[in-house]
Amino acid sequence: MVNTEYFSGAYADFSRAAMSGDALCLRADNLACVRGLRVVFADLNFAVAAGGILHVSGANGAGKTSLLRMICGLLAPAAGHISLSGNTALARQSHYLGHADGLKNTLTPRETMIYESRLMAAHEACAPEDLLAHIGLAKQADQRVGTLSAGQRRRLALSRLLAAPRPIWLMDEPYTALDTAGRDLVDTLMRCHAEAGGMVVLAAHEAVPLADAQLVLDA
Amino acid sequence: MVNTEYFSGAYADFSRAAMSGDALCLRADNLACVRGLRVVFADLNFAVAAGGILHVSGANGAGKTSLLRMICGLLAPAAGHISLSGNTALARQSHYLGHADGLKNTLTPRETMIYESRLMAAHEACAPEDLLAHIGLAKQADQRVGTLSAGQRRRLALSRLLAAPRPIWLMDEPYTALDTAGRDLVDTLMRCHAEAGGMVVLAAHEAVPLADAQLVLDA
Amino acid sequence: MTGRPIAMWPILRALFARELRLVLRGGHLLPVLAFVFICVMLMPFGLGPELSLLQRLAPGLLWVIMLMAVLLSLDRMFQADFEDGGLDQLLLLPIALEGAVIAKICAHFVGILLPVLAAIPLAGLLLNIHPDAVLPVLATLLAGAPALVMLGAIGAALAVGVRRAGLLTVLIVTPLYVPVLVFGAGGLARALAAPGMLDVGALGVLGLISMASLFLAPPAIAAALRAGLR
Amino acid sequence: MTGRPIAMWPILRALFARELRLVLRGGHLLPVLAFVFICVMLMPFGLGPELSLLQRLAPGLLWVIMLMAVLLSLDRMFQADFEDGGLDQLLLLPIALEGAVIAKICAHFVGILLPVLAAIPLAGLLLNIHPDAVLPVLATLLAGAPALVMLGAIGAALAVGVRRAGLLTVLIVTPLYVPVLVFGAGGLARALAAPGMLDVGALGVLGLISMASLFLAPPAIAAALRAGLR
Amino acid sequence: MLERLENLSALYANPRRFMNLAARVHTPLWLVAVGVLAFGLFMVSGVPDDYQQGATVRIMFVHVPAAWMALFAYSFIFFASLLAAVLRHPLGYLAARAAAPVGAVFTLVALVTGALWGQPMWGTWWVWDARLTSVLVLLFIYLGYIALWEAIDDYGRAARATSILAFVGFVNVPIVKFSVDWWNTLHQPASVSRFARPALHADFLYPLLVMGVAFLLLFLAITLTRLQMEVLRQRLRVRQSAG
Ligand code: HEM
Ligand SMILES: Nc1ncnc2c1ncn2[C@@H]1O[C@H](COP(=O)(O)OP(=O)(O)OP(=O)(O)O)[C@@H](O)[C@H]1O
Ligand SMILES: Nc1ncnc2c1ncn2[C@@H]1O[C@H](COP(=O)(O)OP(=O)(O)OP(=O)(O)O)[C@@H](O)[C@H]1O
Ligand SMILES: [Mg+2]
Ligand SMILES: [Mg+2]
């Protein structure tokens, strides 16, 4: 279902990096998270190599969302640090898809996509038509985002991942509100991304067969 | 895990109705839904008897949310009608748990519960302590709702169902953001409610073993 | 259906209490009062610090400030409910939506506008208002406030979910404000021209408008909110 | 990391275009314009119908009205972004947050405040302003507006995620407005006392304050937004 | 739990050394402050009536030190926030938070005594001149600063946001100080601080200076007490939420 062509050109960069041996590696050392007056987790260590998919799980409130936000710099770690092959400023290396999707209700899906790709400085702007069909919103292209169904919104939010290539994908419960086809779409996107040399960290309560490593946070 | 005592007293009313033979029955006749300029579904017929759990499924945008909102009167049907044993004004017979949870960020979980039970005119106000422990928010009782994690919010929203007994529960993707224990909690709540003579209509993309009927909407 | 009759009054009270708490959370009293005094502080800079001039202008300025406070505070009154699904829950309450609307508006009135009204005499002092003018100002403001609030709430309800809400608000609400202002600030000016006595006529008309809006606005607001459901 | 350099300019332009569209679709312009005209309409009632007095006060009143319009419109500038997760996405853009902030502010300026500025001469007409005074009023407003907007945005950013953010913004921002108003309305009054000529000194100071705030405010705003992340 | 939190986050550091020092300094500081204040009041009671102002001149001995402290307290907040931001040490934020209400009260005292003095001297309680207004602005900045602290629950967020406001609001301090020089005001310009040739008679000058020192000590003592309370409250909150 997913047209892997989207990945070919733009992804050449970090695929090449992956092949040339100095592959990217995302690692966290002794990471700790404090929210309010509570220590959510501490002494967390993990590494994700290029092409890796890490599944973070744990009970409600265990700190999954906090971890993902820390990786892209939206939350400062209370201790420890995170780096991508030595680089610690990861905001521009990451796509973050959170519980709140950052979509604007008064735009249409088409407009959202066009702006998204311009804002991400996509080198070749993708044709919104193709992408819309791709994520299953062809019919809703010119409806206001505020009137989309929950799953349709979620699909639109996914399109941000394709706006520009970035090595790290952080996905917080990406299957939420999606039907079977939608879940397959997410899986395909993640697989393509990993194959192109990217890395994925996803938080989910369900099993993720695609993942090649699991991190369990205990509350 | 769920203390079924919550259901005993207050639920006497419609359990008695169920036993006395003139049981409640929720039925939809020739229901149609139009959103914007699109017919979402038409000629929908179904019935849920007291104690029944109906699982509504269908692709994203198939109209599950619209259907639930129609049942409790938040959306007017384009055609057809819905009734509970002949009664067509169901707003005060239903609990609706939608994609948006109606929680107030500046209150604490404890306050939320107290107000909720007063607003629903609960005949005997439940003790918030018990209920909080019940839904797994004992530790977060006095934290602002705005700082809860996604699953913790969801659990708090569930507590509204217990604020006062109402025969119809409308649950839109109730498993969203919940961990395994949370999903079990939802199942237990639904089972208790059905056993007490209530009825549940839930929309979900995953399988729901508990349901005794399924309605598939096709987009 | 559950067999027992439901008493409306405790529900309205609970809703009022919750809304008042939402309004007051985070010490809103301080900011509202500060707002009034800040407006007062800005005036002399705009108009020049001449005390006698300020004295003459004070009553009208106080009306404008009150209007601003209403506009600012009611502005997004229903927006949060609309966005977080709270509006759905309001509709499912065991009371009529009109009642819920009234409870909400009362909470805003008590939590925000009463303190403003209470601060008006002191604000007037800073504007060097004539002592004889304090009473008429308060009287007209009190008589007119319900109308201002109800009209503001209609605007806020229209702004929820209705497309082109801005235009609608301007077309519907602004013309309604005009009579209130005419009788409020205008009657005030006349009252002050003949000092020592209240302009009972204007006050009566203001009161009438307020009464009318107390009865007519809630259904309009409820209808606007229902129209805004998605 | 992807090897190719990223051009900042097109991103800023795209962000500006998007925000402008959001502002225009949000229907914020009309209520602000309505507010301006309500204020203007109200003044004769407050001040009495004496045309000469109105004429004298018009410039100062226009300044105060403009200031309140800016406050009203900036109030929730960053709140929506905060609530819907858009703020997170702003932080992940390939440009500095400071740049994004400037683009957003420019969009608000163009979408709301330029039209308000354009309406000022008309509003002045209703206040019976002296024709010679229109140009100085507009000139000082234009020179001072950037400062008003930037300072307002600092307040809006500080109050992000806070309950009743609007009023807190007012409380934070207005004290900062006083110097601008002093040079704006004050300089204006002096300019009009010697008719036919602009008070270049006050205009220069206003311009300086505006320039300073153009440079100093964006880092403060960005820092405030970062502090507001949850 | 507490240990864990303190080790993890700079914001929750337990300033043990500071608390020990504070416990030792606390009582002597209060004693000296009260002593100097008593001495100052004694000196003030001996001041002769002014030939122009009569007994109302005594308002000066409260008004002027209070006005000084209003400015000093804000500068204190500014530098404390700056230190906290630069050194990444939370004590600065706590100190700034502790000082704010104290500064606001001094500002209020300066305003009220000024108004009381203005009635006999200028024939009015209030005028909108640059000095008076900039002090009113200062009060509002204090209030905004306090309101912002109260409005944000999360301690770290509140600390960062309020420090930004403290920096921005600092521009008002020189305006208050120099307003009398920059604009033509009713209020009189600095007469004490021109030390080379003080324009004030020694009979007035020395009591005024003693009162100034007394107010400074009072400010430091109150702020220190509030700061200790702030640290203890923070510790208590952690304990409670941990267990
Ligand atoms: C509400 C009204 C007033 C306010 C807000 C106010 C404010 C201030 C401030 C902030 C200072 C400190 C200036 C500095 O450190 O340089 C000050 C000093 C002073 N004020 Fe006032 N003042 C007010 C009314 C008055 C009145 C009515 C008088 C007497 C006629 C007065 C006499 C003085 C004197 C003598 C000083 C000492 C100046 C110096 O030597 O530095 N003030 N006032
Ligand atoms: N104002 C509108 N204009 C056009 N289409 C609309 C409007 N409002 C809703 N729709 C469409 O109605 C359809 C039904 O939406 P609904 O939310 O009921 O779907 P759903 O089954 O709950 O989907 P999901 O599984 O994604 O939650 C969607 O396709 C949506 O795009
Ligand atoms: N300001 C705060 N004060 C106190 N606790 C907080 C604050 N902010 C967050 N928390 C707590 O931090 C914990 C971690 O939240 P987080 O959102 O990371 O959990 P999560 O693993 O994503 O949970 P979920 O599965 O429910 O999404 C939660 O227990 C939450 O209550
Ligand atoms: Mg989460
Ligand atoms: Mg749905």
Side-chain angles (χ1 to χ4, degrees), chain D residues 5-221:
Chain D
I6 279 175
M8 270 189 51
W9 190 233
I11 302 182
L12 285 175
R13 229 173 31 203
L15 189 59
F16 172 79
R18 188 184 74 160
E19 292 299 321
L20 188 58
R21 185 164 296 198
L22 288 174
V23 167
L24 294 180
R25 293 239 172 112
H28 301 299
L29 176 57
L30 274 170
V32 176
L33 281 180
F35 168 75
V36 169
F37 284 102
I38 288 183
C39 280
V40 165
M41 238 159 42
L42 197 54
M43 288 304 166
F45 293 111
L47 312 183
E50 225 177 282
L51 283 183
S52 67
L53 177 64
L54 215 53
Q55 182 166 52
R56 232 180 82 209
L57 297 182
L61 287 177
L62 289 178
W63 250 90
V64 175
I65 290 172
M66 178 73 188
L67 199 143
M68 302 218 161
V70 173
L71 264 182
L72 259 180
S73 70
L74 288 189
D75 173 23
R76 295 189 41 94
M77 168 161 199
F78 299 108
Q79 193 70 22
D81 278 325
F82 174 74
E83 278 162 13
D84 67 13
L87 187 52
D88 299 340
Q89 301 303 332
L90 279 187
L91 275 144
L92 301 187
L93 287 185
I95 51 171
L97 185 57
E98 283 79 357
V101 160
I102 294 177
K104 266 186 83 83
I105 294 178
C106 287
H108 270 254
F109 191 82
V110 172
I112 304 189
L113 296 174
L114 277 192
V116 171
L117 275 174
I120 286 284
L122 187 58
L125 221 69
L126 289 177
L127 287 176
N128 193 34
I129 200 172
H130 194 281
D132 282 353
V134 173
L135 192 68
V137 168
L138 268 186
T140 50
L141 280 179
L142 256 176
L148 292 184
V149 174
M150 286 291 166
L151 292 174
I154 294 181
L158 279 173
V160 136
V162 169
R163 353 175 246 219
R164 208 94 222 147
L167 285 164
L168 194 63
T169 307
V170 172
L171 176 54
I172 293 174
V173 169
T174 326
L176 305 177
Y177 275 178
V178 170
V180 186
L181 194 59
V182 168
F183 286 103
L188 197 55
R190 251 169 294 132
L192 298 176
M197 55 184 301
L198 274 173
D199 182 342
V200 183
L203 214 57
V205 176
L206 268 185
L208 265 181
I209 298 181
S210 280
M211 287 299 280
S213 61
L214 277 177
F215 282 99
L216 298 178
I221 296 168

Side-chain angles (χ1 to χ4, degrees), chain A residues 32 34 36-37 39 42-43 78-79, chain E residues 1 4-5 8 12 154 237-238 241:
Chain A
V34 176
L37 296 170
V39 179
D43 297 322
Chain E
M1 179 68 193
R4 191 95 193 97
L5 202 59
L8 280 177
Y12 301 106
D154 191 275
R237 273 199 298 252
V238 175
S241 78

Side-chain angles (χ1 to χ4, degrees), chain C residues 6-7 15 28 60 66 107 113 143-144 147 149-150 154 157 159 166 174 176 192 200 202 205 207 228:
Chain C
I6 281 175
L15 188 59
H28 303 137
M66 181 74 187
L113 297 173
V149 172
M150 286 293 166
I154 294 181
T174 315
L176 295 178
L192 297 176
V200 182
V205 176

